[in-house]
mmCIF file of all heavy atoms in Angstrom:
data_model
loop_
_atom_site.group_PDB
_atom_site.id
_atom_site.type_symbol
_atom_site.label_atom_id
_atom_site.label_comp_id
_atom_site.label_asym_id
_atom_site.label_seq_id
_atom_site.Cartn_x
_atom_site.Cartn_y
_atom_site.Cartn_z
ATOM 1 N N ASP A 313 58.228 63.090 121.464
ATOM 2 C CA ASP A 313 59.655 62.741 121.281
ATOM 3 C C ASP A 313 60.487 62.496 122.538
ATOM 4 O O ASP A 313 61.531 63.056 122.762
ATOM 5 C CB ASP A 313 60.278 63.988 120.473
ATOM 6 C CG ASP A 313 59.727 64.090 119.020
ATOM 7 O OD1 ASP A 313 59.056 63.135 118.611
ATOM 8 O OD2 ASP A 313 60.035 65.151 118.409
ATOM 9 N N ILE A 314 59.905 61.656 123.320
ATOM 10 C CA ILE A 314 60.495 61.201 124.584
ATOM 11 C C ILE A 314 60.879 59.718 124.333
ATOM 12 O O ILE A 314 60.015 58.902 123.930
ATOM 13 C CB ILE A 314 59.630 61.285 125.790
ATOM 14 C CG1 ILE A 314 59.288 62.854 126.048
ATOM 15 C CG2 ILE A 314 60.301 60.677 127.039
ATOM 16 C CD1 ILE A 314 58.336 63.023 127.209
ATOM 17 N N SER A 315 62.104 59.316 124.562
ATOM 18 C CA SER A 315 62.561 58.038 124.231
ATOM 19 C C SER A 315 61.894 56.865 124.967
ATOM 20 O O SER A 315 61.557 57.063 126.183
ATOM 21 C CB SER A 315 64.094 57.950 124.289
ATOM 22 O OG SER A 315 64.497 58.003 125.545
ATOM 23 N N ALA A 316 61.863 55.746 124.344
ATOM 24 C CA ALA A 316 61.316 54.528 125.062
ATOM 25 C C ALA A 316 62.473 53.903 125.775
ATOM 26 O O ALA A 316 63.680 54.070 125.272
ATOM 27 C CB ALA A 316 60.741 53.474 123.986
ATOM 28 N N PRO A 317 62.245 53.173 126.881
ATOM 29 C CA PRO A 317 60.948 52.842 127.426
ATOM 30 C C PRO A 317 60.487 53.918 128.455
ATOM 31 O O PRO A 317 59.433 53.673 129.048
ATOM 32 C CB PRO A 317 61.281 51.469 128.198
ATOM 33 C CG PRO A 317 62.603 51.630 128.628
ATOM 34 C CD PRO A 317 63.399 52.375 127.511
ATOM 35 N N ARG A 318 61.200 54.948 128.636
ATOM 36 C CA ARG A 318 60.789 55.929 129.634
ATOM 37 C C ARG A 318 59.446 56.572 129.295
ATOM 38 O O ARG A 318 58.693 56.905 130.262
ATOM 39 C CB ARG A 318 61.822 57.044 129.756
ATOM 40 C CG ARG A 318 63.170 56.713 130.318
ATOM 41 C CD ARG A 318 64.124 57.802 130.248
ATOM 42 N NE ARG A 318 64.222 58.400 128.992
ATOM 43 C CZ ARG A 318 63.840 59.634 128.766
ATOM 44 N NH1 ARG A 318 63.530 60.476 129.754
ATOM 45 N NH2 ARG A 318 63.888 60.171 127.527
ATOM 46 N N CYS A 319 59.170 56.693 128.055
ATOM 47 C CA CYS A 319 57.929 57.332 127.619
ATOM 48 C C CYS A 319 56.684 56.568 128.159
ATOM 49 O O CYS A 319 55.654 57.230 128.506
ATOM 50 C CB CYS A 319 57.810 57.410 126.137
ATOM 51 S SG CYS A 319 57.924 55.883 125.230
ATOM 52 N N PHE A 320 56.740 55.305 128.349
ATOM 53 C CA PHE A 320 55.632 54.516 128.799
ATOM 54 C C PHE A 320 55.377 54.800 130.201
ATOM 55 O O PHE A 320 54.206 55.004 130.670
ATOM 56 C CB PHE A 320 55.871 53.023 128.609
ATOM 57 C CG PHE A 320 56.142 52.562 127.258
ATOM 58 C CD1 PHE A 320 57.385 52.156 126.865
ATOM 59 C CD2 PHE A 320 55.065 52.562 126.266
ATOM 60 C CE1 PHE A 320 57.641 51.641 125.534
ATOM 61 C CE2 PHE A 320 55.390 52.150 124.960
ATOM 62 C CZ PHE A 320 56.694 51.737 124.625
ATOM 63 N N GLU A 321 56.411 54.833 131.037
ATOM 64 C CA GLU A 321 56.261 55.166 132.431
ATOM 65 C C GLU A 321 55.787 56.528 132.730
ATOM 66 O O GLU A 321 55.049 56.837 133.594
ATOM 67 C CB GLU A 321 57.522 54.789 133.154
ATOM 68 C CG GLU A 321 57.423 54.829 134.690
ATOM 69 C CD GLU A 321 58.773 54.372 135.358
ATOM 70 O OE1 GLU A 321 59.751 54.094 134.740
ATOM 71 O OE2 GLU A 321 58.722 54.362 136.677
ATOM 72 N N ILE A 322 56.438 57.474 132.000
ATOM 73 C CA ILE A 322 56.047 58.897 132.141
ATOM 74 C C ILE A 322 54.559 59.095 131.939
ATOM 75 O O ILE A 322 53.904 59.746 132.659
ATOM 76 C CB ILE A 322 56.902 59.817 131.192
ATOM 77 C CG1 ILE A 322 58.371 59.826 131.755
ATOM 78 C CG2 ILE A 322 56.380 61.242 131.199
ATOM 79 C CD1 ILE A 322 59.336 60.359 130.793
ATOM 80 N N GLU A 323 54.099 58.565 130.789
ATOM 81 C CA GLU A 323 52.635 58.770 130.399
ATOM 82 C C GLU A 323 51.799 58.040 131.499
ATOM 83 O O GLU A 323 50.777 58.632 131.990
ATOM 84 C CB GLU A 323 52.337 58.151 129.082
ATOM 85 C CG GLU A 323 50.911 58.281 128.646
ATOM 86 C CD GLU A 323 50.606 57.545 127.340
ATOM 87 O OE1 GLU A 323 50.962 56.370 127.285
ATOM 88 O OE2 GLU A 323 49.921 58.146 126.577
ATOM 89 N N ARG A 324 52.213 56.850 131.952
ATOM 90 C CA ARG A 324 51.335 56.139 132.978
ATOM 91 C C ARG A 324 51.338 56.928 134.277
ATOM 92 O O ARG A 324 50.251 57.158 134.840
ATOM 93 C CB ARG A 324 51.882 54.810 133.257
ATOM 94 C CG ARG A 324 51.165 53.966 134.289
ATOM 95 C CD ARG A 324 51.769 52.661 134.509
ATOM 96 N NE ARG A 324 53.169 52.705 135.002
ATOM 97 C CZ ARG A 324 53.617 52.966 136.146
ATOM 98 N NH1 ARG A 324 52.664 53.321 137.142
ATOM 99 N NH2 ARG A 324 54.941 53.041 136.400
ATOM 100 N N LYS A 325 52.485 57.455 134.732
ATOM 101 C CA LYS A 325 52.472 58.238 136.032
ATOM 102 C C LYS A 325 51.689 59.435 135.965
ATOM 103 O O LYS A 325 51.027 59.895 136.852
ATOM 104 C CB LYS A 325 53.930 58.355 136.439
ATOM 105 C CG LYS A 325 54.624 57.131 136.951
ATOM 106 C CD LYS A 325 55.991 57.520 137.493
ATOM 107 C CE LYS A 325 56.605 56.221 138.160
ATOM 108 N NZ LYS A 325 57.879 56.533 138.892
ATOM 109 N N LEU A 326 51.765 60.165 134.710
ATOM 110 C CA LEU A 326 51.071 61.442 134.574
ATOM 111 C C LEU A 326 49.545 61.179 134.548
ATOM 112 O O LEU A 326 48.753 61.837 135.116
ATOM 113 C CB LEU A 326 51.542 62.223 133.398
ATOM 114 C CG LEU A 326 52.811 62.852 133.416
ATOM 115 C CD1 LEU A 326 53.355 63.378 132.132
ATOM 116 C CD2 LEU A 326 52.864 63.915 134.469
ATOM 117 N N GLN A 327 49.195 60.099 133.868
ATOM 118 C CA GLN A 327 47.663 59.782 133.816
ATOM 119 C C GLN A 327 47.200 59.504 135.323
ATOM 120 O O GLN A 327 46.047 59.817 135.565
ATOM 121 C CB GLN A 327 47.479 58.540 132.967
ATOM 122 C CG GLN A 327 47.642 58.967 131.471
ATOM 123 C CD GLN A 327 47.529 57.772 130.635
ATOM 124 O OE1 GLN A 327 47.706 56.556 131.036
ATOM 125 N NE2 GLN A 327 47.015 57.922 129.360
ATOM 126 N N GLU A 328 48.005 58.902 136.119
ATOM 127 C CA GLU A 328 47.640 58.673 137.464
ATOM 128 C C GLU A 328 47.573 59.851 138.263
ATOM 129 O O GLU A 328 46.747 59.993 139.212
ATOM 130 C CB GLU A 328 48.539 57.612 138.117
ATOM 131 C CG GLU A 328 48.613 56.210 137.518
ATOM 132 C CD GLU A 328 49.680 55.376 138.051
ATOM 133 O OE1 GLU A 328 50.639 55.884 138.727
ATOM 134 O OE2 GLU A 328 49.743 54.179 137.691
ATOM 135 N N ARG A 329 48.370 60.828 138.046
ATOM 136 C CA ARG A 329 48.439 62.054 138.892
ATOM 137 C C ARG A 329 47.573 63.184 138.343
ATOM 138 O O ARG A 329 47.159 64.052 139.231
ATOM 139 C CB ARG A 329 49.911 62.649 138.798
ATOM 140 C CG ARG A 329 50.957 61.602 139.467
ATOM 141 C CD ARG A 329 51.101 61.736 140.927
ATOM 142 N NE ARG A 329 51.449 63.099 141.347
ATOM 143 C CZ ARG A 329 52.673 63.525 141.470
ATOM 144 N NH1 ARG A 329 53.756 62.750 141.148
ATOM 145 N NH2 ARG A 329 52.962 64.689 141.954
ATOM 146 N N LEU A 330 47.179 63.246 137.089
ATOM 147 C CA LEU A 330 46.422 64.353 136.598
ATOM 148 C C LEU A 330 45.041 63.968 136.163
ATOM 149 O O LEU A 330 44.760 62.774 135.910
ATOM 150 C CB LEU A 330 47.186 64.886 135.347
ATOM 151 C CG LEU A 330 48.625 65.416 135.583
ATOM 152 C CD1 LEU A 330 49.194 65.947 134.264
ATOM 153 C CD2 LEU A 330 48.632 66.582 136.597
ATOM 154 N N ASP A 331 44.105 64.981 136.218
ATOM 155 C CA ASP A 331 42.674 64.742 135.787
ATOM 156 C C ASP A 331 42.458 65.385 134.486
ATOM 157 O O ASP A 331 41.339 65.845 134.186
ATOM 158 C CB ASP A 331 41.720 65.156 136.842
ATOM 159 C CG ASP A 331 41.778 66.664 137.028
ATOM 160 O OD1 ASP A 331 42.721 67.303 136.595
ATOM 161 O OD2 ASP A 331 40.840 67.220 137.703
ATOM 162 N N ILE A 332 43.446 65.613 133.625
ATOM 163 C CA ILE A 332 43.325 66.038 132.264
ATOM 164 C C ILE A 332 43.990 65.096 131.320
ATOM 165 O O ILE A 332 44.796 64.207 131.748
ATOM 166 C CB ILE A 332 44.041 67.432 132.120
ATOM 167 C CG1 ILE A 332 45.543 67.347 132.510
ATOM 168 C CG2 ILE A 332 43.405 68.476 132.993
ATOM 169 C CD1 ILE A 332 46.311 68.599 132.213
ATOM 170 N N PRO A 333 43.616 65.068 130.046
ATOM 171 C CA PRO A 333 44.089 64.068 129.048
ATOM 172 C C PRO A 333 45.629 64.215 128.959
ATOM 173 O O PRO A 333 46.232 65.291 128.801
ATOM 174 C CB PRO A 333 43.385 64.537 127.758
ATOM 175 C CG PRO A 333 42.280 65.289 128.207
ATOM 176 C CD PRO A 333 42.550 66.041 129.433
ATOM 177 N N VAL A 334 46.314 62.998 128.951
ATOM 178 C CA VAL A 334 47.758 62.910 128.783
ATOM 179 C C VAL A 334 47.851 61.960 127.586
ATOM 180 O O VAL A 334 47.334 60.819 127.629
ATOM 181 C CB VAL A 334 48.483 62.362 129.945
ATOM 182 C CG1 VAL A 334 49.968 62.233 129.648
ATOM 183 C CG2 VAL A 334 48.292 63.381 131.131
ATOM 184 N N PHE A 335 48.537 62.359 126.561
ATOM 185 C CA PHE A 335 48.595 61.600 125.337
ATOM 186 C C PHE A 335 49.994 61.683 124.690
ATOM 187 O O PHE A 335 50.486 62.661 124.417
ATOM 188 C CB PHE A 335 47.582 62.250 124.411
ATOM 189 C CG PHE A 335 47.340 61.538 123.015
ATOM 190 C CD1 PHE A 335 46.496 60.436 122.976
ATOM 191 C CD2 PHE A 335 48.007 61.964 121.815
ATOM 192 C CE1 PHE A 335 46.162 59.832 121.795
ATOM 193 C CE2 PHE A 335 47.741 61.331 120.680
ATOM 194 C CZ PHE A 335 46.781 60.252 120.624
ATOM 195 N N HIS A 336 50.607 60.455 124.549
ATOM 196 C CA HIS A 336 51.938 60.342 123.978
ATOM 197 C C HIS A 336 51.687 60.120 122.428
ATOM 198 O O HIS A 336 51.446 59.016 122.023
ATOM 199 C CB HIS A 336 52.756 59.279 124.655
ATOM 200 C CG HIS A 336 54.156 59.160 124.093
ATOM 201 N ND1 HIS A 336 54.888 58.078 124.014
ATOM 202 C CD2 HIS A 336 54.945 60.200 123.536
ATOM 203 C CE1 HIS A 336 56.068 58.270 123.440
ATOM 204 N NE2 HIS A 336 56.155 59.654 123.114
ATOM 205 N N ASP A 337 51.856 61.142 121.614
ATOM 206 C CA ASP A 337 51.470 61.059 120.305
ATOM 207 C C ASP A 337 52.335 60.074 119.445
ATOM 208 O O ASP A 337 51.817 59.491 118.604
ATOM 209 C CB ASP A 337 51.582 62.460 119.558
ATOM 210 C CG ASP A 337 51.015 62.463 118.192
ATOM 211 O OD1 ASP A 337 49.879 61.961 117.947
ATOM 212 O OD2 ASP A 337 51.729 62.925 117.269
ATOM 213 N N ASP A 338 53.570 59.958 119.815
ATOM 214 C CA ASP A 338 54.424 58.934 119.029
ATOM 215 C C ASP A 338 53.878 57.631 119.164
ATOM 216 O O ASP A 338 53.924 56.791 118.272
ATOM 217 C CB ASP A 338 55.868 59.061 119.585
ATOM 218 C CG ASP A 338 56.451 60.360 119.451
ATOM 219 O OD1 ASP A 338 56.185 61.047 118.455
ATOM 220 O OD2 ASP A 338 57.310 60.777 120.269
ATOM 221 N N GLN A 339 53.182 57.329 120.320
ATOM 222 C CA GLN A 339 52.548 56.034 120.450
ATOM 223 C C GLN A 339 51.164 55.994 119.832
ATOM 224 O O GLN A 339 50.880 55.322 118.872
ATOM 225 C CB GLN A 339 52.403 55.664 121.987
ATOM 226 C CG GLN A 339 53.569 55.427 122.792
ATOM 227 C CD GLN A 339 53.262 55.069 124.210
ATOM 228 O OE1 GLN A 339 52.609 54.064 124.404
ATOM 229 N NE2 GLN A 339 53.621 55.841 125.169
ATOM 230 N N HIS A 340 50.255 56.833 120.433
ATOM 231 C CA HIS A 340 48.868 56.634 120.139
ATOM 232 C C HIS A 340 48.378 57.309 118.893
ATOM 233 O O HIS A 340 47.429 56.702 118.134
ATOM 234 C CB HIS A 340 47.995 57.151 121.306
ATOM 235 C CG HIS A 340 48.511 56.643 122.647
ATOM 236 N ND1 HIS A 340 48.534 55.220 122.938
ATOM 237 C CD2 HIS A 340 49.074 57.181 123.709
ATOM 238 C CE1 HIS A 340 49.065 55.058 124.133
ATOM 239 N NE2 HIS A 340 49.350 56.246 124.653
ATOM 240 N N GLY A 341 49.032 58.389 118.487
ATOM 241 C CA GLY A 341 48.593 59.035 117.233
ATOM 242 C C GLY A 341 48.933 58.116 116.043
ATOM 243 O O GLY A 341 48.198 57.911 115.170
ATOM 244 N N THR A 342 50.161 57.532 116.068
ATOM 245 C CA THR A 342 50.559 56.578 115.130
ATOM 246 C C THR A 342 49.678 55.427 114.987
ATOM 247 O O THR A 342 49.250 54.890 113.897
ATOM 248 C CB THR A 342 52.028 56.073 115.260
ATOM 249 O OG1 THR A 342 52.857 57.246 115.431
ATOM 250 C CG2 THR A 342 52.516 55.196 114.201
ATOM 251 N N ALA A 343 49.298 54.831 116.212
ATOM 252 C CA ALA A 343 48.400 53.678 116.252
ATOM 253 C C ALA A 343 47.062 53.994 115.674
ATOM 254 O O ALA A 343 46.442 53.137 114.925
ATOM 255 C CB ALA A 343 48.316 53.196 117.721
ATOM 256 N N VAL A 344 46.468 55.133 115.975
ATOM 257 C CA VAL A 344 45.158 55.501 115.533
ATOM 258 C C VAL A 344 45.079 55.572 114.063
ATOM 259 O O VAL A 344 44.186 55.011 113.353
ATOM 260 C CB VAL A 344 44.746 56.844 116.125
ATOM 261 C CG1 VAL A 344 43.452 57.408 115.351
ATOM 262 C CG2 VAL A 344 44.305 56.713 117.618
ATOM 263 N N VAL A 345 46.046 56.207 113.410
ATOM 264 C CA VAL A 345 46.111 56.353 111.939
ATOM 265 C C VAL A 345 46.312 55.052 111.332
ATOM 266 O O VAL A 345 45.746 54.787 110.263
ATOM 267 C CB VAL A 345 47.063 57.432 111.547
ATOM 268 C CG1 VAL A 345 47.051 57.712 110.041
ATOM 269 C CG2 VAL A 345 46.853 58.816 112.284
ATOM 270 N N THR A 346 47.296 54.246 111.783
ATOM 271 C CA THR A 346 47.478 52.873 111.345
ATOM 272 C C THR A 346 46.308 52.046 111.343
ATOM 273 O O THR A 346 45.965 51.432 110.329
ATOM 274 C CB THR A 346 48.600 52.233 112.126
ATOM 275 O OG1 THR A 346 49.822 52.973 112.108
ATOM 276 C CG2 THR A 346 48.887 50.868 111.607
ATOM 277 N N LEU A 347 45.527 52.068 112.417
ATOM 278 C CA LEU A 347 44.261 51.313 112.430
ATOM 279 C C LEU A 347 43.273 51.749 111.388
ATOM 280 O O LEU A 347 42.621 50.973 110.824
ATOM 281 C CB LEU A 347 43.615 51.365 113.876
ATOM 282 C CG LEU A 347 42.370 50.632 114.089
ATOM 283 C CD1 LEU A 347 42.524 49.119 113.716
ATOM 284 C CD2 LEU A 347 41.856 50.809 115.555
ATOM 285 N N ALA A 348 43.175 53.083 111.267
ATOM 286 C CA ALA A 348 42.215 53.607 110.276
ATOM 287 C C ALA A 348 42.549 53.089 108.846
ATOM 288 O O ALA A 348 41.691 52.701 108.167
ATOM 289 C CB ALA A 348 42.216 55.087 110.373
ATOM 290 N N ALA A 349 43.829 53.196 108.525
ATOM 291 C CA ALA A 349 44.232 52.672 107.176
ATOM 292 C C ALA A 349 44.171 51.222 107.025
ATOM 293 O O ALA A 349 43.620 50.714 105.996
ATOM 294 C CB ALA A 349 45.712 53.084 107.026
ATOM 295 N N LEU A 350 44.329 50.492 108.102
ATOM 296 C CA LEU A 350 44.199 49.077 108.033
ATOM 297 C C LEU A 350 42.641 48.682 107.929
ATOM 298 O O LEU A 350 42.330 47.674 107.233
ATOM 299 C CB LEU A 350 44.764 48.284 109.298
ATOM 300 C CG LEU A 350 44.788 46.799 109.244
ATOM 301 C CD1 LEU A 350 45.539 46.314 108.081
ATOM 302 C CD2 LEU A 350 45.450 46.281 110.574
#
Side-chain angles (χ1 to χ4, degrees):
D313 294 348
I314 298 173
S315 64
R318 295 175 310 117
C319 59
F320 303 111
E321 189 176 3
I322 290 168
E323 183 186 46
R324 177 181 60 78
K325 288 188 172 184
L326 285 173
Q327 286 175 335
E328 292 171 353
R329 297 276 300 275
L330 300 176
D331 66 346
I332 58 175
V334 178
F335 187 82
H336 184 210
D337 185 52
D338 299 328
Q339 293 183 60
H340 311 300
T342 306
V344 165
V345 184
T346 300
L347 176 59
L350 186 58

